[in-house]
Amino acid sequence: MKTTLFAVLCSALLVLGIAGPGNAEVGVTETEIHIGQWSPQTGPAAPWGAVARGTDAYFKWINANGGIHGRKLVHHYFDDAYNPAKTIAGVKQLQEQTGMFAWASGVGTACGLAVRDYLMEKKIPWVGPSAGSRHWVNPPYKYLFNVYPLYLGDAQLLTEYAITEMGKKKIAVVYQEDDYGKQGLEGTEYILKKHDMELVEAVPVAITDTDMRPHAMKLRQSDADAVLLFVTPGHVARVLGTAKAMKFEPQWMSTTTCGDCPLMIAITKGLYEGVITASFGMAKPTGHVGSVQHINDPVHERLAKFKTEIYEQFAAKDERWGYTFTAGIGFVEPLVEAIRRSGRDLTREKLVEELENMKDFQGLMGRISYAPFDPADPLTRVGQQEIFLQECTANGGSRILTEWQTTEFIPMSE
Amino acid sequence: MIDFLQMIISGIAVGSSYALMALGMVLIYKASEVPNFVQGEMALLPVFMAYMLIYSYGQSVFAAFFGALAFAMLLGCFIEFAVVRRAKNPNILGLIIITIGLEMVLLGFVSWKFGADQRVMPFPISSYSSIMIGDVYISTLDLLTLVTALVIMTCLFLFFRFSKLGVAMKATQQNETAARLMGIRTHRVKMISWGISATVGTVAGLLLAPVFMEPYMMWSPMLKGFAAAVIGGMTSLPGAVFGAYIVGIVEHLFGGYISMEYKAVVAFAVIVIVLCVRPSGLFARHYVKKV
């Protein structure tokens, strides 16, 4: 009798366990929503680790304000040191041992590519990869929602501006030998072709190379009047410094990756003044074209509010209030908004549905829209195509040069 | 022709910082017979200490640099005394692993203490100024690095040739047992070698820091310095310097005329070629021990 009763009880517990307490979604409990993220806290890409810390502070702020529909966001982020092998190991461990409801952001194209297929096969939503790579959307994936404007777009807008607004005739490119650099190069060539022009020089940079003298020399030989830089902030600092010593001073232009004017002015000892970069947000171009904004004294109302309420209260003592930290908030705002819109009955399918219904959502970045999944249409998952141009000023401010501009999606050539 | 000359000059300029790292590696190899993979971080920590002295303690650049060099000397001695010497009858592999472990510890400490943010070191001369000789340029910082490297090389040459300690170091390297029997305190000699090596490396670090500072800043110069030391034969100071200039010049000519993509790794191809032709390196004297 006792044995039978025990067996019945075990069966009942097993059934209840499988059925769950009214909500069967992985990573969602009565009181918590588990979100995963990878980020380089050590290693050569460690400066981008602030993305995850920005997300973390944002989630803490949400939790301090009551969470979302009675649930707290539990943020699990781990250091992958920008090493794809560590990314995949960490993602699998967290997903299979703890169980994440969704994944947020995640720095690095190579790191993201290492886990993309795994997450998509398991139908786990992943929102806002922290890299502007076309690989996220071409082809599109049902559960992958891009937020970061593609590098192809940065290149288009910068090149178009250099030609039509600044009258530049000789354009050169310095590009990192990876997805970031090569897509920047492709976007530049795409616009040049439209103007029946050709690049005067394209100089590749190996990520491990720290000596930029030959690169600067090639640029000087090309006599370029505008040079677009699709490299890391460190390489930008080295290229500008070396070129300055060679007395080669064209109009330098760069991407959102190097759009942190206060940081760039500091590490270039002021050489970044006058450099034009693309920007995906953190400033307010509408109604302010021509004026100067500074991230420490934001004109953008939402940014000002987040500085006071998130950064000053939830960031670590030594954390720098900069574009990388704030981008960590911007990349995950659509995810948080979709969780909020999904209501109490949160499931992955509901989340995807709410993201697909998102139209012109604007947080810290440009307007973000998705559409119902169409495997033939990358635009259903691109999210943000808006960027604007800024010029860095001597004190680390940004002079707004353009309104929000919508860039064109360039599909991958066969 | 102008381009060729520019590449040679630029190659020599970058070769000077490789030369300082290579000298540091050779000094330790001569003393402890280990390729020292903590060479870069033995320079990194003092460089960040100098930065801290300037910004947190308001010291002048010169005082901070002097402090960093003194700290480097102590750090090198400490590593030899507290870690390397404690290894019980280590083989080469064991010593290499010890230096790699130390590299990780020091790098981790710098990353933890100072953070990953990029920064630049204040410096008495601008890293962006240059002098032009016709159409060929050399930055004043590169020129300073070149002169510093030459001065240090000369000092080391005189030190090993004429000073008692220098001769003791040479004796210890050639036959440690015999040196000890002659009354040389070989442990102390080795410890000082590590200290001098760290100081020479720190000079390279302080000359690189005005351009760019981050926890990984010494990794590439250390590898290039290692390549240069191997080309030169690991035990030859002039060989290390010659190797460093070869690496610098080949990198620049390769980048300028053949491929910029593979410029950063061409040094390692040079190592393979040199070791195929002369397995002991270009300048090494081959000691044959009688059994």
Side-chain angles (χ1 to χ4, degrees):
Chain A
M1 183 62 192
K2 273 184 182 174
T3 315
T4 314
L5 189 63
F6 182 71
V8 169
L9 272 171
C10 284
S11 306
L13 283 170
L14 194 65
V15 170
L16 283 171
I18 292 167
N23 194 316
E25 197 58 274
V26 173
V28 180
T29 70
E30 284 297 305
T31 55
E32 293 173 339
I33 302 165
H34 294 258
I35 308 286
Q37 187 172 359
W38 62 89
S39 151
Q41 299 300 316
T42 57
W48 294 328
V51 169
R53 300 194 296 274
T55 306
D56 196 60
Y58 179 45
F59 285 1
K60 282 177 180 158
W61 174 74
I62 290 169
N63 292 340
N65 286 284
I68 303 175
H69 301 301
R71 291 190 178 103
K72 304 274 185 201
L73 295 175
V74 183
H75 188 213
H76 303 260
Y77 75 94
F78 67 92
D79 174 22
D80 66 349
Y82 208 55
N83 178 346
K86 287 188 180 178
T87 316
I88 194 154
V91 166
K92 280 187 174 176
Q93 188 184 358
L94 268 177
Q95 191 60 50
E96 285 162 24
Q97 290 182 7
T98 310
M100 298 296 109
F101 169 65
W103 286 80
S105 192
V107 171
T109 304
C111 299
L113 282 174
V115 295
R116 183 190 61 188
D117 292 349
Y118 169 79
L119 293 175
M120 294 306 108
E121 278 163 20
K122 289 191 167 291
K123 299 182 176 177
I124 302 164
W126 173 21
V127 182
S130 179
S133 170
R134 186 168 48 188
H135 288 300
W136 312 140
V137 295
N138 197 182
Y141 296 85
K142 186 177 178 185
Y143 296 90
L144 204 174
F145 292 83
N146 183 63
V147 174
Y148 200 127
L150 304 185
Y151 302 130
L152 290 157
D154 288 15
Q156 288 171 42
L157 191 50
L158 289 164
T159 314
E160 190 66 47
Y161 191 84
I163 296 168
T164 54
E165 299 293 324
M166 306 182 82
K168 301 297 181 189
K169 305 279 185 223
K170 295 178 176 178
I171 294 176
V173 163
V174 181
Y175 67 100
Q176 198 163 291
E177 285 184 291
D178 60 7
D179 220 40
Y180 164 44
K182 285 176 183 169
Q183 288 185 25
L185 178 66
E186 185 185 336
T188 307
E189 285 176 326
Y190 179 78
I191 295 295
L192 286 174
K193 201 173 172 189
K194 280 188 173 180
H195 288 271
D196 206 19
M197 290 168 70
E198 281 188 3
L199 277 176
V200 295
E201 189 61 83
V203 185
V205 172
I207 189 90
T208 51
D209 201 353
T210 53
D211 170 24
M212 295 291 111
R213 293 173 187 84
H215 307 75
M217 206 177 102
K218 282 247 179 216
L219 292 172
R220 193 176 71 154
Q221 286 167 349
S222 75
D223 199 25
D225 53 12
V227 178
L228 276 65
L229 302 154
F230 299 99
V231 287
T232 63
H235 283 110
V236 166
R238 290 183 174 108
V239 169
L240 262 64
T242 312
K244 169 85 177 170
M246 284 186 183
K247 304 199 189 316
F248 174 65
E249 297 177 72
Q251 174 61 56
W252 300 105
M253 303 176 110
S254 193
T255 62
T256 49
T257 304
C258 301
D260 191 336
C261 293
L263 172 74
M264 296 306 297
I265 285 285
I267 65 172
T268 59
K269 293 181 180 172
L271 281 188
Y272 217 63
E273 183 183 358
V275 174
I276 293 171
T277 80
S279 176
F280 49 47
M282 323 306 174
K284 196 172 181 183
T286 307
H288 297 275
V289 173
S291 69
V292 176
Q293 297 181 29
H294 201 292
I295 193 166
N296 291 332
D297 184 19
V299 171
H300 193 300
E301 295 87 356
R302 193 173 174 88
L303 190 68
K305 174 183 159 81
F306 283 1
K307 183 170 185 284
T308 317
E309 297 186 12
I310 299 177
Y311 171 72
E312 287 171 10
Q313 293 186 40
F314 295 100
K317 195 172 121 272
D318 296 330
E319 189 67 60
R320 189 177 68 88
W321 170 248
Y323 283 68
T324 322
F325 180 87
T326 50
I329 301 174
F331 294 149
V332 300
E333 280 179 302
L335 171 66
V336 169
E337 179 62 20
I339 292 174
R340 190 170 281 128
R341 290 182 190 181
S342 295
R344 180 72 190 164
D345 299 328
L346 181 63
T347 63
R348 285 175 176 155
E349 292 306 321
K350 190 92 181 12
L351 180 87
V352 167
E353 192 186 321
E354 289 302 335
L355 280 162
E356 287 179 340
N357 290 335
M358 201 171 271
K359 296 283 174 276
D360 293 338
F361 168 77
Q362 188 151 26
L364 292 182
M365 303 171 74
R367 287 176 301 166
I368 294 167
S369 302
Y370 302 104
F373 181 63
D374 177 352
D377 185 5
L379 295 180
T380 59
R381 290 295 182 270
V382 164
Q384 183 183 354
Q385 282 181 284
E386 286 188 328
I387 46 176
F388 61 90
L389 296 185
Q390 61 178 9
E391 181 186 28
C392 292
T393 62
N395 68 346
S398 310
R399 178 170 289 108
I400 310 298
L401 297 180
T402 69
E403 248 296 356
W404 285 109
Q405 310 264 312
T406 303
T407 59
E408 191 181 338
F409 177 77
I410 308 170
M412 220 174 289
S413 49
E414 294 300 324
Chain B
M1 188 61 190
I2 293 292
D3 293 342
F4 179 75
L5 275 177
Q6 180 66 68
M7 285 176 209
I8 299 286
I9 296 287
S10 298
I12 291 171
V14 73
S16 298
S17 53
Y18 299 163
L20 289 170
M21 294 304 291
L23 283 172
M25 294 204 96
V26 167
L27 281 169
I28 284 180
Y29 192 81
K30 281 162 83 81
S32 301
E33 292 197 347
V34 56
N36 180 25
F37 288 101
V38 72
Q39 187 69 41
E41 278 61 34
M42 287 198 318
L44 181 74
L45 184 56
V47 168
F48 273 81
M49 293 292 283
Y51 186 86
M52 190 174 75
L53 286 173
I54 294 168
Y55 284 104
S56 301
Y57 295 95
Q59 298 297 313
S60 70
V61 172
F62 288 107
F65 282 15
F66 181 78
L69 293 173
F71 176 74
M73 184 76 196
L74 292 175
L75 179 68
C77 292
F78 175 78
I79 286 175
E80 196 284 331
F81 175 77
V83 184
V84 179
R85 195 184 297 180
R86 306 296 145 192
K88 300 284 181 202
N89 301 320
N91 56 19
I92 294 274
L93 183 62
L95 284 170
I96 289 175
I97 290 170
I98 287 173
T99 66
I100 291 174
L102 282 169
E103 186 263 335
M104 289 176 178
V105 169
L106 291 183
L107 182 62
F109 176 76
V110 170
S111 302
W112 165 76
K113 173 71 185 153
F114 298 96
D117 277 349
Q118 297 126 333
R119 55 195 94 203
V120 282
M121 178 81 86
F123 203 73
I125 59 167
S126 166
S127 45
Y128 306 142
S129 61
S130 61
I131 45 174
M132 302 286 290
I133 308 159
D135 273 348
V136 177
Y137 102 102
I138 182 163
S139 85
T140 42
L141 187 61
D142 284 343
L143 198 60
L144 179 68
T145 309
L146 175 63
V147 171
T148 308
L150 291 172
V151 168
I152 288 178
M153 277 179 256
T154 312
C155 290
L156 286 174
F157 172 76
L158 296 173
F159 174 73
F160 280 106
R161 193 70 182 262
F162 299 111
S163 78
K164 217 171 165 181
L165 183 60
V167 174
M169 280 181 179
K170 273 167 78 175
T172 306
Q173 186 260 324
Q174 285 175 8
N175 191 328
E176 191 176 338
T177 312
R180 204 177 303 130
L181 289 170
M182 293 296 112
I184 295 171
R185 301 177 81 162
T186 52
H187 279 320
R188 189 176 293 178
V189 163
K190 282 184 180 181
M191 189 173 78
I192 294 170
S193 299
W194 278 74
I196 295 174
S197 168
T199 312
V200 172
T202 301
V203 172
L206 290 172
L207 289 163
L208 290 167
V211 179
F212 200 67
M213 270 179 82
E214 61 175 345
Y216 281 78
M217 62 180 272
M218 296 309 292
W219 181 244
S220 176
M222 187 278 288
L223 283 180
K224 299 295 168 60
F226 177 59
V230 171
I231 291 167
M234 280 316 281
T235 53
S236 164
L237 291 172
V241 174
F242 182 79
Y245 287 122
I246 290 286
V247 169
I249 292 168
V250 167
E251 271 188 350
H252 278 241
L253 291 176
F254 191 84
Y257 290 121
I258 301 172
S259 162
M260 199 70 85
E261 284 95 327
Y262 298 104
K263 167 190 156 282
V265 293
V266 72
F268 306 103
V270 174
I271 292 186
V272 174
I273 294 166
V274 168
L275 293 186
C276 284
V277 180
R278 280 183 68 94
S280 304
L282 293 177
F283 284 68
R285 231 178 272 163
H286 210 73
Y287 290 107
V288 179
K289 285 179 183 169
K290 287 182 182 173
V291 289

